[in-house]
Amino acid sequence: METLPSYEEAVASLDWLDLVATYVPVADWPRCCLVDRRFYCQFAPRLWQDPLVIVRRLGLHPNDDLAWYRRFINKHVKPARLKSRSYVRSLDFRKFAVRASGLYSSEASERAISESFKTLPQIFPGLICLRVDGHPVLDPGSLATAASASQPLQLLDLARCRHELSTKFFKPDLFRDLVFLDISFIPGSVKSATQTSLNPSYLPGLRVLKVQGREVDNATASLLLQTFGRQLWSLDLSYNKLRDDILDEIVEHSISHFTFHTDAHFEKEGKLVLPKNIGNRKHGPFEFIEESGNSFHSQFLEKYLADSPFYSRRADHTELQEWQAVRPDGLAPVRHDDADMMKELLLDEVMKNHSVMHGPPRLGSGGLTHLYLNGNKFTATGIERLIRTSRGRLEHFECDSCLYDPSHPRIGADLKGLRVVGFFGSVPLFRPVVSSALRSLRVHHSLVTQVPSVSADGLSRTTAARLAEAQLYKNIQRIYPLALVPDTNPRITSLTLTNIPARSTGPIIEQLTRFLQLASAQQRAISNAKALFSGRSSSVLQGLRHIRFELEPDFSEGTDVISTSDEVDFDRLLDPADDDFAHDTSSFFDDDDGSFGITSRSTLSDRSRRVKPSNPVANIGEYTHWTSGRLKSFPYSDVDSEYITQHADAAHSWTGNFYSVPVWIGPGVISPHAAVNEYMWNVQDPDLRRDIGPATPNHVATGVPPFSYIFYAAWDAMVLPKNIAQAAHSSGSAPFRDVGTAIKEYRLRTRGTEHHWDGKLELVRTSR
């Protein structure tokens, strides 16, 4: 039960008919309505509530949809009592009259149903849900001229409609109570609509807005965010043309200013520390994670306990004050914001209360908690900054692909059109200490597998896959050893991994099966926690209960197809030969000189003329020859300390102020840590002595001192091989295995054993 019953509901005597009605087959509902008035009051609302869905369940053939609808609207509804017509709460046209019958053309179908839209609110005064998602012919435009209704709509799903909506479409009172609105993948300008009617003046109750595939750019998204402010709790901006700059505006305009970050859970989660109020625009504030004695201990069972209830020292302050923010306890079900679940919730509430719904979907004005950013043009650095600065408020987050941003102008330049997609060092950001409210996550599989998606012009899918698993995987494991595991955040109940290759030479299969093993281990640990805290069993987190693996289309070893991105067009971003490249991307990538990673020869020569270091520069290719002695190039030639002071000007400062910090460069001699050794070598390159940031748990795990600042550019340069074309050529010829088959075989092997995870596992083959 998500909400406690009212006093009247708690003391009311149960009616046996209320209990059995849900078990009566739909086919018997019409006859039940004829029994007596009591049965009619129980079954008539069920029969009329969603007529287009019910009539299909009663056996209506799709070829007869149009004829039935005409009879229903023109003959049967008109003489019906107002009370009976008021029972109609939803009209779902998604699978209704989608194909023309033998008697009518598609144009006739369009006219018959589309023209009826203007009268629907008057015919059915209780209508609150209307769904036209993906219908091939229906035009909802006439809703804008519909007669005023006593009950405005609360859910409107117009996704994938082929007709453009008027910019004044949402002005009528019919839409003033909308809670859910989906206008994805339809023609027309979102900017013009926002300026005219898609705004709080006409939609004051809107809480869930989906605007996928509308070619929304940063300027339009900025207008939308400023217009709605923190009114929405769910926003879907997937498959648009958004870039990193908009992420800061999402945090500024649409996420609550009250943080969920707290020191109260330091013992089991650690805490965030900001020694100085500094940061840069690329990274955000320079916060560190301070570990406790147990926050990184895998056997510490108290991490599975939900948060304690809120208590106040004052008897007259039993509720949270306006300025107080307490994160969710981790026990309540995740709020659903998809149209199916929202419709079900709305209809259930109406069925119970026989009135309009003002419950959970209307709760809001506290800012975004559900955010969808799939299929845009974001970099991993931008998404990390979003998570870092969102104050732990996000409960559901989706971003299925992010571009890796090389920090060195020569990295990857020997392989034209190189695209590397994935999250490499982001795992600590999904811990409860940062993502305090996170319950559901959909991200690129590399967060778990540590294997990125690689593509390049002229590179076959098989070669790209081998390069990713043979070379990049080893590099990423060396410099970012922490992969996402179920215990990274026990509060997460649902995880979806996207863009998983259909075939693997081994590492991806090993990492996915290892993740399932750890999910099973978490399951056993939670069981032990419930036994240990037997008096508090209801306050133990449920852990990860839903895993979804989204596999890409299959390919064979003989495939020689140029690797391209299916959803995000990075070609122009990564091909600086375009004359307008520097102009279009300088603000997006926020580099000091406006250039970006992989550059053309002309850009390289221009930059080499601009950068003329006065100190000797190491030859990157000679790193493998460094076996002993102290490095002799700058900065090691000028300082004996492991730190050098770096200054940042106000233009690149997070707070807008000038600051200086001591940056760790290492001792300059060979250490036991391979990643640290290569980092020290890279620090000699002046192009890599930039992008200062705080050491994360990933860096600390490789040997970097805690609470120190490092050059992120020098660290991230280790992801790609120095000669990636040669690495691709020598990536081996290991045979491929089918990932889906391997996962199924693993599940069969563990079935019936203590190592079998009993949550819900989905394997889905996606299409490009």
Side-chain angles (χ1 to χ4, degrees), residues 237-547:
L237 293 171
S238 299
Y239 310 111
N240 285 295
K241 297 181 177 181
L242 303 178
R243 303 172 183 265
D244 281 7
D245 288 345
I246 197 61
L247 300 175
D248 296 328
E249 297 204 43
I250 291 176
V251 174
E252 179 184 355
H253 300 299
S254 301
I255 292 182
S256 173
H257 286 163
F258 300 112
T259 182
F260 280 157
H261 295 159
T262 175
D263 298 346
H265 311 286
F266 170 67
E267 188 62 26
K268 64 179 180 179
E269 297 175 0
K271 65 180 180 180
L272 294 175
V273 177
L274 186 64
K276 300 180 179 180
N277 187 24
I278 58 175
N280 60 37
R281 295 187 181 278
K282 187 172 184 178
H283 179 89
F286 287 170
E287 290 182 310
F288 297 92
I289 296 179
E290 180 180 342
E291 306 289 1
S292 70
N294 297 308
S295 60
F296 218 64
H297 198 286
S298 60
Q299 303 301 320
F300 188 61
L301 293 182
E302 286 193 16
K303 64 186 173 185
Y304 299 118
L305 290 178
D307 295 349
S308 301
F310 167 77
Y311 295 101
S312 175
R313 295 181 180 180
R314 296 180 55 178
D316 58 336
H317 284 176
T318 58
E319 300 292 335
L320 286 174
Q321 302 302 302
E322 182 178 340
W323 50 269
Q324 291 176 306
V326 176
R327 72 181 190 180
D329 60 12
L331 295 175
V334 181
R335 280 195 297 180
H336 293 283
D337 57 351
D338 60 285
D340 289 332
M341 292 301 298
M342 292 286 287
K343 171 186 166 183
E344 181 179 342
L345 180 59
L346 288 166
L347 296 185
D348 284 349
E349 288 294 322
V350 170
M351 180 65 71
K352 292 176 183 177
N353 302 326
H354 301 289
S355 62
V356 297
M357 205 286 300
H358 294 286
R362 283 192 175 277
L363 298 179
S365 300
L368 290 179
T369 61
H370 293 52
L371 182 60
Y372 301 77
L373 299 175
N374 303 305
N376 283 285
K377 299 182 179 181
F378 300 121
T379 66
T381 302
I383 294 298
E384 289 173 356
R385 186 176 68 250
L386 169 71
I387 300 297
R388 195 176 291 118
T389 59
S390 59
R391 296 177 278 276
R393 305 290 304 199
L394 296 179
E395 298 177 17
H396 176 90
F397 179 68
E398 293 193 11
C399 185
D400 59 4
S401 61
C402 287
L403 183 67
Y404 164 66
D405 176 3
S407 298
H408 195 287
R410 292 185 294 274
I411 295 176
D414 55 335
L415 199 58
K416 184 180 179 182
L418 177 65
R419 293 172 291 274
V420 181
V421 175
F423 291 95
F424 308 141
S426 311
V427 170
L429 296 177
F430 295 98
R431 289 173 51 177
V433 66
V434 180
S435 297
S436 306
L438 192 63
R439 304 294 307 283
S440 179
L441 181 64
R442 181 177 183 269
V443 290
H444 190 270
H445 69 88
S446 57
L447 194 65
V448 168
T449 64
Q450 298 178 294
V451 179
S453 297
V454 178
S455 61
D457 295 344
L459 200 65
S460 69
R461 294 182 64 185
T462 54
T463 303
R466 287 194 173 100
L467 173 64
E469 295 195 81
Q471 300 290 333
L472 273 63
Y473 170 65
K474 293 179 182 179
N475 292 348
I476 292 170
Q477 275 200 319
R478 184 176 74 255
I479 65 176
Y480 294 119
L482 303 180
L484 185 79
V485 298
D487 276 352
T488 298
N489 190 340
R491 301 164 69 88
I492 295 178
T493 60
S494 176
L495 176 67
T496 299
L497 300 180
T498 68
N499 303 100
I500 301 174
R503 295 180 178 271
S504 165
T505 59
I508 288 179
I509 293 175
E510 293 168 3
Q511 291 292 84
L512 293 179
T513 54
R514 174 178 175 270
F515 187 82
L516 292 175
Q517 290 174 357
L518 294 174
S520 173
Q522 183 194 65
Q523 179 179 275
R524 296 193 299 273
I526 289 177
S527 178
N528 293 336
K530 289 181 178 179
L532 180 63
F533 307 109
S534 56
R536 305 167 60 184
S537 59
S538 61
S539 63
V540 175
L541 300 171
Q542 59 177 319
L544 189 60
R545 303 311 301 156
H546 171 240
I547 299 174

Side-chain angles (χ1 to χ4, degrees), residues 52 64-74 91 93 96-97 99-101 103-120 123-124 135 137-140 142 163:
L52 304 186
D64 299 327
D65 285 352
L66 181 57
W68 179 89
Y69 185 80
R70 285 179 166 174
R71 289 197 305 270
F72 179 66
I73 294 295
N74 298 325
L91 289 174
F93 289 95
F96 192 84
R99 61 184 183 186
S101 67
L103 299 177
Y104 301 97
S105 66
S106 60
E107 290 78 11
S109 174
E110 179 181 0
R111 289 194 303 272
I113 300 181
S114 298
E115 292 178 2
S116 70
F117 281 177
K118 65 179 67 177
T119 60
L120 290 181
I123 297 176
F124 305 115
H135 201 285
V137 293
L138 295 188
D139 180 4
S142 60
H163 300 271

Side-chain angles (χ1 to χ4, degrees), residues 215-237:
E215 298 188 355
V216 174
D217 57 12
N218 278 15
T220 302
S222 177
L223 174 64
L224 193 68
L225 294 170
Q226 294 181 51
T227 299
F228 280 99
R230 296 176 185 85
Q231 174 178 315
L232 305 174
W233 61 261
S234 176
L235 177 63
D236 192 340
L237 293 171

Side-chain angles (χ1 to χ4, degrees), residues 583-659:
H583 177 269
D584 290 346
T585 62
S586 58
S587 61
F588 172 48
F589 294 107
D590 201 26
D591 285 342
D592 295 343
D593 60 358
S595 64
F596 173 67
I598 302 169
T599 58
S600 64
R601 293 178 180 176
S602 59
T603 307
L604 268 176
S605 61
D606 292 343
R607 182 161 182 172
S608 65
R609 287 193 294 269
R610 290 195 304 268
V611 180
K612 295 182 179 180
S614 59
N615 300 291
V617 180
N619 184 341
I620 297 297
E622 295 177 358
Y623 166 67
T624 55
H625 301 301
W626 180 38
T627 57
S628 63
R630 193 173 191 272
L631 295 172
K632 298 179 181 179
S633 299
F634 184 84
Y636 304 97
S637 60
D638 287 22
V639 297
D640 296 327
S641 171
E642 295 187 11
Y643 296 85
I644 61 173
T645 300
Q646 289 291 111
H647 305 279
D649 58 34
H652 296 93
S653 170
W654 180 253
T655 59
N657 299 320
F658 170 88
Y659 66 87

